[in-house]
Structure formats: C-alpha cells, structure tokens
Amino acid sequence: MRGATTPANRRLRLAIPLAATLLAGLAGSALAQDAKEAPKEPAPAKAEASGAPQTYESGITNGKGETIGKIMIRDGANSLVMRVMIGAGGLPPGWHGIHFHAVGDCSDTEKFEKSKAHVNHDQSKHGLLNADGPDEGDLPNVYANADGSVNAEVSSETPLTGEGGLRDGDGSALIIHANEDDHTSQPIGGAGPRIGCAVIK
Ligand SMILES: [Cu+2]
C-alpha cells in the first residue's frame, strides 16, 4: 500500500498498442505473422553501471492456472516501464484493462480476488481520464492481437521498490481484465472480470 505520494500527479503513457493498431490497419496479415514470433526483450541492464534500472520479471497466470506470458518491469529513478508479453492463444482478441492491484496473490485463479482492489484505490478515484484520478494502480489498456498475443509497453510513476513501492510487504499484482477500461467510471472503468494475474513481490 502507498502512503505519501500524490496520485493525481502521476503520468502514464502508452506506446506500443497504438502503434500496433496503426500497423494493423496498414499491414494486417504481416502483423499477425510477426505476432507469432517470440516476444523480444530489451538488452539486460549493465550491472556495473551505477544507478542501472532494477529489473523484475514475473509470469502471467490465466484463469486455469496456466502461464500465458510474463511481465518485465524496469524501475527507473522517476518512473517504471513495464512490458506485457503474452503468447498466441493467451487472451481474447481486443482491448483489455490492466491495473496494479494491492496484494501479490494470484492463487485464486478463478476470480483473482485475493489481489484485492487497486493500489491505493481508497485515496483516489480510478481513471486516467477521471478529474479526481488516477489511482496508483491505473495503467493504459493493452491490445491483444487476433491470435491472442500481446506485446505492449506501459509506464507508471508508481515505484517498484522503496517506500510505497509495488514490492512492499504484501506485494502487488498486475491484473488483466476481460474488457477494456474506460478510464473514467468507478470502480474499475467497466473492465469486467479478472482473467490474468502476475505476482509482483
Ligand atoms: Cu483491475
């Protein structure tokens, strides 16, 4: 759980899904072909460099308890950057809301309710587009291709470590929802059931 920060000041950005949507319009079949290739990862940070971003990886579990992909988080001084990499067949095609939830527990795969509400949802309204938001769990939607694969990169000013970080005592979870997040309505933007979960601990 977070305490001292100001969620309203947090900025989040979405890069890959928009590009993927544009590409899909330009070269539909070519993109589908690309999506079947193994997700590419950035080169690992050089350990000897002082201040190198801390990297954290975790598998994404679906409602059957199967691993469908992984998240990879790099934690910088002022922002974290997270890749969401899911293989073919992982998700229903289309947009999906994703959020950081408050507890790092994905063991109840049917509903993933042990991950609780959004990080610090009680201190701020949900929604990147809500005038009284966002909360610290809010993230842009990701887009699953026609084959169910996802390659997306999002950022958040919610820290990975340190005071109020995602890797606090009870951890956190990255939850993937069945539907897209409208970024406005309460409590979760109409994103629907929880269909994927990754422990951050
Ligand atoms: Cu959520």
Side-chain angles (χ1 to χ4, degrees):
M1 299 288 195
R2 314 273 336 263
T5 51
T6 309
N9 289 339
R10 298 193 180 288
R11 291 175 294 111
L12 302 108
R13 293 179 295 277
L14 171 66
I16 300 301
L18 177 58
T21 303
L22 293 172
L23 277 171
L26 293 171
S29 63
L31 180 68
Q33 190 62 37
D34 288 347
K36 288 172 184 152
E37 295 176 6
K40 294 191 171 54
E41 299 175 29
K46 290 178 181 173
E48 67 269 22
S50 69
Q54 181 179 348
T55 300
Y56 178 81
E57 286 190 10
S58 180
I60 302 170
T61 302
N62 69 9
K64 297 175 183 170
E66 302 162 341
T67 300
I68 57 171
K70 67 179 179 180
I71 57 172
M72 201 268 293
I73 297 173
R74 288 173 289 164
D75 194 25
N78 303 313
S79 175
L80 68 78
V81 175
M82 175 173 66
R83 289 201 172 173
V84 180
M85 297 168 284
I86 296 174
L91 290 181
W95 291 103
H96 295 275
I98 64 171
H99 313 122
F100 292 127
H101 284 237
V103 178
D105 188 344
C106 297
S107 62
D108 56 332
T109 56
E110 280 191 14
K111 293 189 175 178
F112 294 124
E113 288 179 342
K114 288 185 176 178
S115 62
K116 304 290 185 182
H118 287 189
V119 173
N120 265 4
H121 183 60
D122 53 339
Q123 297 182 17
S124 180
K125 293 279 192 193
H126 162 74
L128 295 173
L129 301 177
N130 189 305
D132 298 318
D135 65 43
E136 295 179 12
D138 287 345
L139 293 164
N141 292 308
V142 298
Y143 187 80
N145 298 306
D147 70 355
S149 66
V150 174
N151 279 300
E153 186 170 83
V154 300
S155 70
S156 170
E157 292 183 17
T158 301
L160 180 63
T161 57
E163 186 185 355
L166 294 172
R167 298 178 74 182
D168 60 3
D170 60 2
S172 306
L174 186 277
I175 288 286
I176 300 173
H177 289 269
N179 307 317
E180 73 177 285
D181 180 348
D182 64 21
H183 299 305
T184 304
S185 62
Q186 303 305 303
I188 60 164
R194 307 174 183 190
I195 61 171
C197 184
V199 171
I200 302 169
K201 206 159 187 176

